[in-house]
Amino acid sequence: MLFKDLVEKLGQSVKSSSETPELEISGVSAVLDSKPNTLTYSESLKFAKQLRETQAAAVILPANEELLAIAKERGLAWIVVANPRYAFAQAIALFYQPYKPAATIHPSAIIDPSAQIGQNVAIGAHVVIEANVTIGNDVVIHPGVVIYPDVIIGDRTVLHANGVIHERAQIGADCVIHAGAVIGSEGFGFVPTREGWLKMEQSGCTVLEDGVEVGCNSSIDRPSVGETRIGRNTKIDNCVQVGHGVKTGEACAFAAQVGIAGGSVLGNRVILAGQVGVGNESRMGDGSVASAKTGVHASVAAGQTVSGYPAVDHRIFLRSSAVYSHLSEMYKAIKQIQKRLGMDTDS
């Protein structure tokens, strides 16, 4: 693709170098591991050294004079935009499209006669689609997927290999369910008795709104009654557990190994970093963030960032962490003070 065509296809207000419009761009690469004739990007001065050493032919930059001067000095074709990472994501899509099988039904697939299959649907080998399932148009179902009865799947959704969609689950349009994920499995509902645990049947359902993405080997449980609901455009990483009756707002992001216990309610744009645990019935407001390995057991205010176990405001956590590294010296100082005051309990 010619550099001038690439600039045009980015489809946003950009500034670009005009000295090399006929430069051929063969693909994209990372600034740290670049290849000749490719496009890369740099978000900040933190990558200035890599920009000086890159083998790429063109670079997407923010409006930073120092980075722009480096690009010009290196003879790189450049594009200046407000959000380089966003523009680079657009550029990747120009050179790469995910694998999409042809819209055919493999002869080994087992499809109940009552299932309603939309137009232009691809169904892979050994897929099982049970009774009263409704599948929209342009859906892709990769090999080994099992879809239980009464499931609804919206247009253009992709189900990757060996996933399981349990009964009555509702999956919206433009969703992606990655390999091994389980949607609508039974919630962990048991009642303690003298004889042991009484199983509480999970009669509810799981709802994924449009544009939800679920990573490999993640699971989203259905509740005993009502629904578990994942809000529109929410992105869920690999190995995440979402418990029964959880409700999230729109555009949330949950990193790997997050666990959200039953009944929790999360607002819009909530971010949970890796290995965060959210306790039963917790509440997190719009735009709140929990940093890695945080344990949330109560309410988190809208816009608040929390850290630690149990969770505290991130600023308090940082101050506490700074103190923690000096505990040994503080202990020695306290012992010396106690000794001078005749309060040394160890003597």
Side-chain angles (χ1 to χ4, degrees):
M1 181 183 299
L2 294 179
F3 177 72
K4 64 178 181 180
D5 296 332
L6 174 62
V7 172
E8 182 179 343
K9 287 180 180 295
L10 288 180
Q12 55 182 308
S13 179
V14 301
K15 295 180 180 179
S16 62
S17 55
S18 57
E19 293 84 359
T20 55
E22 303 303 316
L23 173 67
E24 183 72 29
I25 303 297
S26 60
V28 292
S29 61
V31 69
L32 295 171
D33 185 26
S34 55
K35 299 177 181 178
N37 298 112
T38 61
L39 172 72
T40 189
Y41 82 108
S42 180
E43 288 187 281
S44 68
L45 283 172
K46 181 174 68 173
F47 297 100
K49 181 178 182 295
Q50 288 80 8
L51 188 59
R52 290 189 179 95
E53 298 173 354
T54 187
Q55 298 300 306
V59 59
I60 301 173
L61 298 171
N64 181 285
E65 293 299 327
E66 187 171 339
L67 289 175
L68 185 58
I70 294 171
K72 291 178 178 179
E73 178 185 339
R74 293 287 322 282
L76 302 175
W78 51 267
I79 302 170
V80 172
V81 298
N83 189 335
R85 190 177 184 189
Y86 180 85
F88 190 67
Q90 289 182 304
I92 291 175
L94 296 175
F95 290 97
Y96 169 79
Q97 290 295 316
Y99 164 66
K100 182 178 181 179
T104 59
I105 298 177
H106 194 276
S108 65
I110 300 173
I111 303 174
D112 189 275
S114 64
Q116 300 179 39
I117 310 297
Q119 298 179 351
N120 199 36
V121 172
I123 300 177
H126 306 294
V127 167
V128 176
I129 300 175
E130 298 192 5
N132 302 315
V133 170
T134 301
I135 295 175
N137 300 324
D138 302 299
V139 169
V140 175
I141 305 175
H142 287 277
V145 170
V146 176
I147 303 175
Y148 282 51
D150 302 306
V151 167
I152 299 173
I153 298 174
D155 296 343
R156 298 174 302 280
T157 284
V158 178
L159 308 180
H160 284 282
N162 299 319
V164 179
I165 314 299
H166 280 262
E167 59 266 34
R168 301 183 306 283
Q170 300 173 31
I171 299 177
D174 301 300
C175 293
V176 180
I177 312 300
H178 286 279
V182 180
I183 309 300
S185 49
E186 288 187 348
F188 193 63
F190 297 90
V191 179
T193 71
R194 290 185 177 183
E195 292 75 29
W197 296 96
L198 173 67
K199 183 179 180 65
M200 180 179 288
E201 296 296 344
Q202 305 294 289
S203 68
C205 69
T206 295
V207 179
L208 274 57
E209 296 181 1
D210 295 348
V212 170
E213 185 157 339
V214 180
C216 298
N217 298 319
S218 291
S219 59
I220 303 175
D221 293 347
R222 70 180 188 267
S224 56
V225 292
E227 63 182 26
T228 301
R229 178 173 288 268
I230 307 300
R232 183 182 65 86
N233 200 34
T234 289
K235 309 303 180 185
I236 298 175
D237 199 0
N238 301 334
C239 300
V240 171
Q241 163 68 23
V242 179
H244 55 275
V246 168
K247 292 178 173 58
T248 82
E250 298 181 356
C252 295
F254 308 146
Q257 298 183 7
V258 159
I260 307 175
S264 297
V265 178
L266 284 64
N268 299 322
R269 304 176 307 282
V270 171
I271 297 175
L272 304 180
Q275 296 187 334
V276 165
V278 179
N280 281 346
E281 308 292 339
S282 295
R283 300 291 185 268
M284 297 187 68
D286 291 351
S288 58
V289 178
S291 65
K293 296 191 175 182
T294 294
V296 177
H297 296 282
S299 295
V300 178
Q304 184 180 18
T305 297
V306 294
S307 300
Y309 186 91
V312 295
D313 187 273
H314 185 63
R315 292 165 294 186
I316 296 174
F317 174 80
L318 291 176
R319 292 197 293 267
S320 301
S321 298
V323 171
Y324 184 82
S325 64
H326 296 288
L327 284 181
S328 178
E329 295 93 326
M330 294 169 64
Y331 175 77
K332 291 178 183 178
I334 291 171
K335 296 301 292 183
Q336 290 173 358
I337 293 171
Q338 287 178 327
K339 188 172 183 179
R340 286 199 297 269
L341 296 175
M343 299 170 58
D344 189 355
T345 58
D346 293 338
S347 59

PDB file of all heavy atoms in Angstrom, residues 101-130:
ATOM      1  N   PRO A 101     -13.996 -18.481   8.176  1.00  0.00           N
ATOM      2  CA  PRO A 101     -14.288 -19.594   7.266  1.00  0.00           C
ATOM      3  C   PRO A 101     -15.434 -19.268   6.328  1.00  0.00           C
ATOM      4  O   PRO A 101     -16.218 -18.335   6.563  1.00  0.00           O
ATOM      5  CB  PRO A 101     -14.668 -20.734   8.221  1.00  0.00           C
ATOM      6  CG  PRO A 101     -15.166 -20.042   9.442  1.00  0.00           C
ATOM      7  CD  PRO A 101     -14.371 -18.782   9.563  1.00  0.00           C
ATOM      8  N   ALA A 102     -15.519 -20.028   5.271  1.00  0.00           N
ATOM      9  CA  ALA A 102     -16.597 -19.843   4.307  1.00  0.00           C
ATOM     10  C   ALA A 102     -17.948 -20.145   4.952  1.00  0.00           C
ATOM     11  O   ALA A 102     -18.048 -20.937   5.901  1.00  0.00           O
ATOM     12  CB  ALA A 102     -16.377 -20.748   3.105  1.00  0.00           C
ATOM     13  N   ALA A 103     -18.983 -19.528   4.437  1.00  0.00           N
ATOM     14  CA  ALA A 103     -20.335 -19.691   4.977  1.00  0.00           C
ATOM     15  C   ALA A 103     -20.929 -21.010   4.507  1.00  0.00           C
ATOM     16  O   ALA A 103     -21.787 -21.066   3.618  1.00  0.00           O
ATOM     17  CB  ALA A 103     -21.215 -18.527   4.556  1.00  0.00           C
ATOM     18  N   THR A 104     -20.436 -22.082   5.136  1.00  0.00           N
ATOM     19  CA  THR A 104     -20.941 -23.415   4.828  1.00  0.00           C
ATOM     20  C   THR A 104     -21.216 -24.153   6.141  1.00  0.00           C
ATOM     21  O   THR A 104     -20.743 -23.740   7.206  1.00  0.00           O
ATOM     22  CB  THR A 104     -19.927 -24.225   4.005  1.00  0.00           C
ATOM     23  OG1 THR A 104     -18.697 -24.330   4.755  1.00  0.00           O
ATOM     24  CG2 THR A 104     -19.644 -23.556   2.672  1.00  0.00           C
ATOM     25  N   ILE A 105     -21.957 -25.233   6.062  1.00  0.00           N
ATOM     26  CA  ILE A 105     -22.239 -26.069   7.230  1.00  0.00           C
ATOM     27  C   ILE A 105     -21.512 -27.387   7.048  1.00  0.00           C
ATOM     28  O   ILE A 105     -21.744 -28.118   6.078  1.00  0.00           O
ATOM     29  CB  ILE A 105     -23.750 -26.297   7.392  1.00  0.00           C
ATOM     30  CG1 ILE A 105     -24.457 -24.955   7.623  1.00  0.00           C
ATOM     31  CG2 ILE A 105     -24.033 -27.246   8.552  1.00  0.00           C
ATOM     32  CD1 ILE A 105     -25.970 -25.066   7.718  1.00  0.00           C
ATOM     33  N   HIS A 106     -20.611 -27.699   7.973  1.00  0.00           N
ATOM     34  CA  HIS A 106     -19.839 -28.931   7.862  1.00  0.00           C
ATOM     35  C   HIS A 106     -20.765 -30.137   8.021  1.00  0.00           C
ATOM     36  O   HIS A 106     -21.691 -30.117   8.853  1.00  0.00           O
ATOM     37  CB  HIS A 106     -18.753 -28.958   8.939  1.00  0.00           C
ATOM     38  CG  HIS A 106     -17.709 -30.000   8.699  1.00  0.00           C
ATOM     39  ND1 HIS A 106     -17.870 -31.321   9.081  1.00  0.00           N
ATOM     40  CD2 HIS A 106     -16.483 -29.912   8.118  1.00  0.00           C
ATOM     41  CE1 HIS A 106     -16.784 -32.001   8.738  1.00  0.00           C
ATOM     42  NE2 HIS A 106     -15.929 -31.179   8.160  1.00  0.00           N
ATOM     43  N   PRO A 107     -20.553 -31.192   7.245  1.00  0.00           N
ATOM     44  CA  PRO A 107     -21.459 -32.352   7.314  1.00  0.00           C
ATOM     45  C   PRO A 107     -21.487 -33.046   8.672  1.00  0.00           C
ATOM     46  O   PRO A 107     -22.448 -33.764   8.981  1.00  0.00           O
ATOM     47  CB  PRO A 107     -20.917 -33.282   6.216  1.00  0.00           C
ATOM     48  CG  PRO A 107     -19.550 -32.791   5.897  1.00  0.00           C
ATOM     49  CD  PRO A 107     -19.554 -31.329   6.173  1.00  0.00           C
ATOM     50  N   SER A 108     -20.451 -32.840   9.496  1.00  0.00           N
ATOM     51  CA  SER A 108     -20.453 -33.494  10.808  1.00  0.00           C
ATOM     52  C   SER A 108     -21.212 -32.706  11.871  1.00  0.00           C
ATOM     53  O   SER A 108     -21.403 -33.189  12.991  1.00  0.00           O
ATOM     54  CB  SER A 108     -19.014 -33.721  11.287  1.00  0.00           C
ATOM     55  OG  SER A 108     -18.361 -32.481  11.509  1.00  0.00           O
ATOM     56  N   ALA A 109     -21.664 -31.495  11.547  1.00  0.00           N
ATOM     57  CA  ALA A 109     -22.421 -30.693  12.514  1.00  0.00           C
ATOM     58  C   ALA A 109     -23.784 -31.338  12.767  1.00  0.00           C
ATOM     59  O   ALA A 109     -24.414 -31.879  11.859  1.00  0.00           O
ATOM     60  CB  ALA A 109     -22.594 -29.274  12.000  1.00  0.00           C
ATOM     61  N   ILE A 110     -24.231 -31.261  14.027  1.00  0.00           N
ATOM     62  CA  ILE A 110     -25.544 -31.800  14.407  1.00  0.00           C
ATOM     63  C   ILE A 110     -26.434 -30.621  14.774  1.00  0.00           C
ATOM     64  O   ILE A 110     -26.178 -29.914  15.751  1.00  0.00           O
ATOM     65  CB  ILE A 110     -25.424 -32.779  15.581  1.00  0.00           C
ATOM     66  CG1 ILE A 110     -24.516 -33.955  15.200  1.00  0.00           C
ATOM     67  CG2 ILE A 110     -26.801 -33.267  16.017  1.00  0.00           C
ATOM     68  CD1 ILE A 110     -24.216 -34.889  16.344  1.00  0.00           C
ATOM     69  N   ILE A 111     -27.488 -30.416  13.976  1.00  0.00           N
ATOM     70  CA  ILE A 111     -28.356 -29.257  14.152  1.00  0.00           C
ATOM     71  C   ILE A 111     -29.790 -29.741  14.308  1.00  0.00           C
ATOM     72  O   ILE A 111     -30.330 -30.426  13.438  1.00  0.00           O
ATOM     73  CB  ILE A 111     -28.244 -28.303  12.949  1.00  0.00           C
ATOM     74  CG1 ILE A 111     -26.780 -27.871  12.758  1.00  0.00           C
ATOM     75  CG2 ILE A 111     -29.147 -27.091  13.137  1.00  0.00           C
ATOM     76  CD1 ILE A 111     -26.548 -27.049  11.506  1.00  0.00           C
ATOM     77  N   ASP A 112     -30.408 -29.389  15.427  1.00  0.00           N
ATOM     78  CA  ASP A 112     -31.797 -29.778  15.654  1.00  0.00           C
ATOM     79  C   ASP A 112     -32.693 -29.126  14.595  1.00  0.00           C
ATOM     80  O   ASP A 112     -32.494 -27.957  14.235  1.00  0.00           O
ATOM     81  CB  ASP A 112     -32.236 -29.332  17.049  1.00  0.00           C
ATOM     82  CG  ASP A 112     -33.583 -29.894  17.427  1.00  0.00           C
ATOM     83  OD1 ASP A 112     -34.606 -29.282  17.050  1.00  0.00           O
ATOM     84  OD2 ASP A 112     -33.619 -30.940  18.090  1.00  0.00           O
ATOM     85  N   PRO A 113     -33.679 -29.851  14.101  1.00  0.00           N
ATOM     86  CA  PRO A 113     -34.555 -29.300  13.050  1.00  0.00           C
ATOM     87  C   PRO A 113     -35.287 -28.029  13.469  1.00  0.00           C
ATOM     88  O   PRO A 113     -35.683 -27.221  12.610  1.00  0.00           O
ATOM     89  CB  PRO A 113     -35.548 -30.447  12.787  1.00  0.00           C
ATOM     90  CG  PRO A 113     -34.844 -31.677  13.245  1.00  0.00           C
ATOM     91  CD  PRO A 113     -33.981 -31.261  14.387  1.00  0.00           C
ATOM     92  N   SER A 114     -35.481 -27.825  14.774  1.00  0.00           N
ATOM     93  CA  SER A 114     -36.210 -26.640  15.226  1.00  0.00           C
ATOM     94  C   SER A 114     -35.335 -25.389  15.280  1.00  0.00           C
ATOM     95  O   SER A 114     -35.849 -24.282  15.482  1.00  0.00           O
ATOM     96  CB  SER A 114     -36.816 -26.885  16.614  1.00  0.00           C
ATOM     97  OG  SER A 114     -35.776 -27.084  17.569  1.00  0.00           O
ATOM     98  N   ALA A 115     -34.032 -25.544  15.119  1.00  0.00           N
ATOM     99  CA  ALA A 115     -33.133 -24.388  15.172  1.00  0.00           C
ATOM    100  C   ALA A 115     -33.355 -23.497  13.959  1.00  0.00           C
ATOM    101  O   ALA A 115     -33.579 -23.976  12.843  1.00  0.00           O
ATOM    102  CB  ALA A 115     -31.691 -24.861  15.226  1.00  0.00           C
ATOM    103  N   GLN A 116     -33.275 -22.187  14.172  1.00  0.00           N
ATOM    104  CA  GLN A 116     -33.422 -21.221  13.091  1.00  0.00           C
ATOM    105  C   GLN A 116     -32.045 -20.627  12.792  1.00  0.00           C
ATOM    106  O   GLN A 116     -31.462 -19.958  13.639  1.00  0.00           O
ATOM    107  CB  GLN A 116     -34.397 -20.116  13.491  1.00  0.00           C
ATOM    108  CG  GLN A 116     -35.792 -20.629  13.813  1.00  0.00           C
ATOM    109  CD  GLN A 116     -36.734 -19.502  14.220  1.00  0.00           C
ATOM    110  OE1 GLN A 116     -36.684 -18.415  13.656  1.00  0.00           O
ATOM    111  NE2 GLN A 116     -37.593 -19.774  15.183  1.00  0.00           N
ATOM    112  N   ILE A 117     -31.567 -20.882  11.595  1.00  0.00           N
ATOM    113  CA  ILE A 117     -30.230 -20.451  11.189  1.00  0.00           C
ATOM    114  C   ILE A 117     -30.364 -19.317  10.181  1.00  0.00           C
ATOM    115  O   ILE A 117     -31.062 -19.449   9.177  1.00  0.00           O
ATOM    116  CB  ILE A 117     -29.427 -21.610  10.565  1.00  0.00           C
ATOM    117  CG1 ILE A 117     -29.480 -22.848  11.465  1.00  0.00           C
ATOM    118  CG2 ILE A 117     -27.994 -21.180  10.306  1.00  0.00           C
ATOM    119  CD1 ILE A 117     -28.859 -22.667  12.820  1.00  0.00           C
ATOM    120  N   GLY A 118     -29.693 -18.196  10.433  1.00  0.00           N
ATOM    121  CA  GLY A 118     -29.772 -17.046   9.548  1.00  0.00           C
ATOM    122  C   GLY A 118     -29.007 -17.248   8.259  1.00  0.00           C
ATOM    123  O   GLY A 118     -28.524 -18.342   7.947  1.00  0.00           O
ATOM    124  N   GLN A 119     -28.855 -16.188   7.509  1.00  0.00           N
ATOM    125  CA  GLN A 119     -28.172 -16.244   6.226  1.00  0.00           C
ATOM    126  C   GLN A 119     -26.662 -16.079   6.399  1.00  0.00           C
ATOM    127  O   GLN A 119     -26.187 -15.419   7.322  1.00  0.00           O
ATOM    128  CB  GLN A 119     -28.713 -15.138   5.313  1.00  0.00           C
ATOM    129  CG  GLN A 119     -30.189 -15.279   4.994  1.00  0.00           C
ATOM    130  CD  GLN A 119     -30.694 -14.149   4.115  1.00  0.00           C
ATOM    131  OE1 GLN A 119     -30.012 -13.164   3.871  1.00  0.00           O
ATOM    132  NE2 GLN A 119     -31.913 -14.303   3.601  1.00  0.00           N
ATOM    133  N   ASN A 120     -25.926 -16.717   5.490  1.00  0.00           N
ATOM    134  CA  ASN A 120     -24.471 -16.545   5.412  1.00  0.00           C
ATOM    135  C   ASN A 120     -23.784 -16.957   6.709  1.00  0.00           C
ATOM    136  O   ASN A 120     -22.832 -16.321   7.175  1.00  0.00           O
ATOM    137  CB  ASN A 120     -24.121 -15.091   5.077  1.00  0.00           C
ATOM    138  CG  ASN A 120     -22.721 -14.945   4.539  1.00  0.00           C
ATOM    139  OD1 ASN A 120     -22.225 -15.802   3.806  1.00  0.00           O
ATOM    140  ND2 ASN A 120     -22.046 -13.863   4.917  1.00  0.00           N
ATOM    141  N   VAL A 121     -24.236 -18.064   7.292  1.00  0.00           N
ATOM    142  CA  VAL A 121     -23.692 -18.569   8.559  1.00  0.00           C
ATOM    143  C   VAL A 121     -22.678 -19.671   8.280  1.00  0.00           C
ATOM    144  O   VAL A 121     -22.918 -20.550   7.444  1.00  0.00           O
ATOM    145  CB  VAL A 121     -24.825 -19.089   9.469  1.00  0.00           C
ATOM    146  CG1 VAL A 121     -24.250 -19.784  10.707  1.00  0.00           C
ATOM    147  CG2 VAL A 121     -25.729 -17.942   9.875  1.00  0.00           C
ATOM    148  N   ALA A 122     -21.538 -19.624   8.976  1.00  0.00           N
ATOM    149  CA  ALA A 122     -20.520 -20.671   8.875  1.00  0.00           C
ATOM    150  C   ALA A 122     -20.588 -21.546  10.117  1.00  0.00           C
ATOM    151  O   ALA A 122     -20.514 -21.042  11.244  1.00  0.00           O
ATOM    152  CB  ALA A 122     -19.137 -20.045   8.754  1.00  0.00           C
ATOM    153  N   ILE A 123     -20.732 -22.852   9.932  1.00  0.00           N
ATOM    154  CA  ILE A 123     -20.820 -23.798  11.042  1.00  0.00           C
ATOM    155  C   ILE A 123     -19.774 -24.879  10.825  1.00  0.00           C
ATOM    156  O   ILE A 123     -19.803 -25.608   9.831  1.00  0.00           O
ATOM    157  CB  ILE A 123     -22.231 -24.408  11.149  1.00  0.00           C
ATOM    158  CG1 ILE A 123     -23.262 -23.294  11.382  1.00  0.00           C
ATOM    159  CG2 ILE A 123     -22.289 -25.439  12.260  1.00  0.00           C
ATOM    160  CD1 ILE A 123     -24.694 -23.768  11.431  1.00  0.00           C
ATOM    161  N   GLY A 124     -18.828 -24.992  11.753  1.00  0.00           N
ATOM    162  CA  GLY A 124     -17.690 -25.885  11.594  1.00  0.00           C
ATOM    163  C   GLY A 124     -17.966 -27.324  11.989  1.00  0.00           C
ATOM    164  O   GLY A 124     -19.088 -27.692  12.361  1.00  0.00           O
ATOM    165  N   ALA A 125     -16.910 -28.106  11.949  1.00  0.00           N
ATOM    166  CA  ALA A 125     -17.013 -29.543  12.222  1.00  0.00           C
ATOM    167  C   ALA A 125     -17.405 -29.813  13.669  1.00  0.00           C
ATOM    168  O   ALA A 125     -16.964 -29.128  14.595  1.00  0.00           O
ATOM    169  CB  ALA A 125     -15.676 -30.218  11.917  1.00  0.00           C
ATOM    170  N   HIS A 126     -18.281 -30.823  13.833  1.00  0.00           N
ATOM    171  CA  HIS A 126     -18.670 -31.335  15.154  1.00  0.00           C
ATOM    172  C   HIS A 126     -19.347 -30.288  16.045  1.00  0.00           C
ATOM    173  O   HIS A 126     -19.339 -30.410  17.271  1.00  0.00           O
ATOM    174  CB  HIS A 126     -17.463 -31.940  15.871  1.00  0.00           C
ATOM    175  CG  HIS A 126     -16.759 -32.991  15.073  1.00  0.00           C
ATOM    176  ND1 HIS A 126     -17.342 -34.206  14.754  1.00  0.00           N
ATOM    177  CD2 HIS A 126     -15.535 -32.996  14.485  1.00  0.00           C
ATOM    178  CE1 HIS A 126     -16.504 -34.920  14.027  1.00  0.00           C
ATOM    179  NE2 HIS A 126     -15.399 -34.215  13.842  1.00  0.00           N
ATOM    180  N   VAL A 127     -19.919 -29.282  15.452  1.00  0.00           N
ATOM    181  CA  VAL A 127     -20.754 -28.334  16.194  1.00  0.00           C
ATOM    182  C   VAL A 127     -22.072 -29.024  16.536  1.00  0.00           C
ATOM    183  O   VAL A 127     -22.617 -29.782  15.737  1.00  0.00           O
ATOM    184  CB  VAL A 127     -21.002 -27.059  15.363  1.00  0.00           C
ATOM    185  CG1 VAL A 127     -22.116 -26.214  15.959  1.00  0.00           C
ATOM    186  CG2 VAL A 127     -19.715 -26.251  15.245  1.00  0.00           C
ATOM    187  N   VAL A 128     -22.597 -28.733  17.742  1.00  0.00           N
ATOM    188  CA  VAL A 128     -23.905 -29.242  18.144  1.00  0.00           C
ATOM    189  C   VAL A 128     -24.812 -28.053  18.457  1.00  0.00           C
ATOM    190  O   VAL A 128     -24.474 -27.215  19.301  1.00  0.00           O
ATOM    191  CB  VAL A 128     -23.809 -30.163  19.375  1.00  0.00           C
ATOM    192  CG1 VAL A 128     -25.210 -30.594  19.826  1.00  0.00           C
ATOM    193  CG2 VAL A 128     -22.941 -31.377  19.067  1.00  0.00           C
ATOM    194  N   ILE A 129     -25.940 -27.981  17.769  1.00  0.00           N
ATOM    195  CA  ILE A 129     -26.916 -26.917  17.986  1.00  0.00           C
ATOM    196  C   ILE A 129     -28.233 -27.589  18.356  1.00  0.00           C
ATOM    197  O   ILE A 129     -28.828 -28.303  17.552  1.00  0.00           O
ATOM    198  CB  ILE A 129     -27.071 -26.040  16.729  1.00  0.00           C
ATOM    199  CG1 ILE A 129     -25.725 -25.396  16.368  1.00  0.00           C
ATOM    200  CG2 ILE A 129     -28.137 -24.971  16.956  1.00  0.00           C
ATOM    201  CD1 ILE A 129     -25.765 -24.604  15.078  1.00  0.00           C
ATOM    202  N   GLU A 130     -28.696 -27.342  19.571  1.00  0.00           N
ATOM    203  CA  GLU A 130     -29.857 -28.058  20.078  1.00  0.00           C
ATOM    204  C   GLU A 130     -31.160 -27.308  19.776  1.00  0.00           C
ATOM    205  O   GLU A 130     -31.178 -26.342  19.015  1.00  0.00           O
ATOM    206  CB  GLU A 130     -29.662 -28.348  21.563  1.00  0.00           C
ATOM    207  CG  GLU A 130     -28.449 -29.250  21.810  1.00  0.00           C
ATOM    208  CD  GLU A 130     -28.380 -29.806  23.209  1.00  0.00           C
ATOM    209  OE1 GLU A 130     -29.314 -29.597  24.006  1.00  0.00           O
ATOM    210  OE2 GLU A 130     -27.365 -30.462  23.532  1.00  0.00           O
TER     211      GLU A 130
END
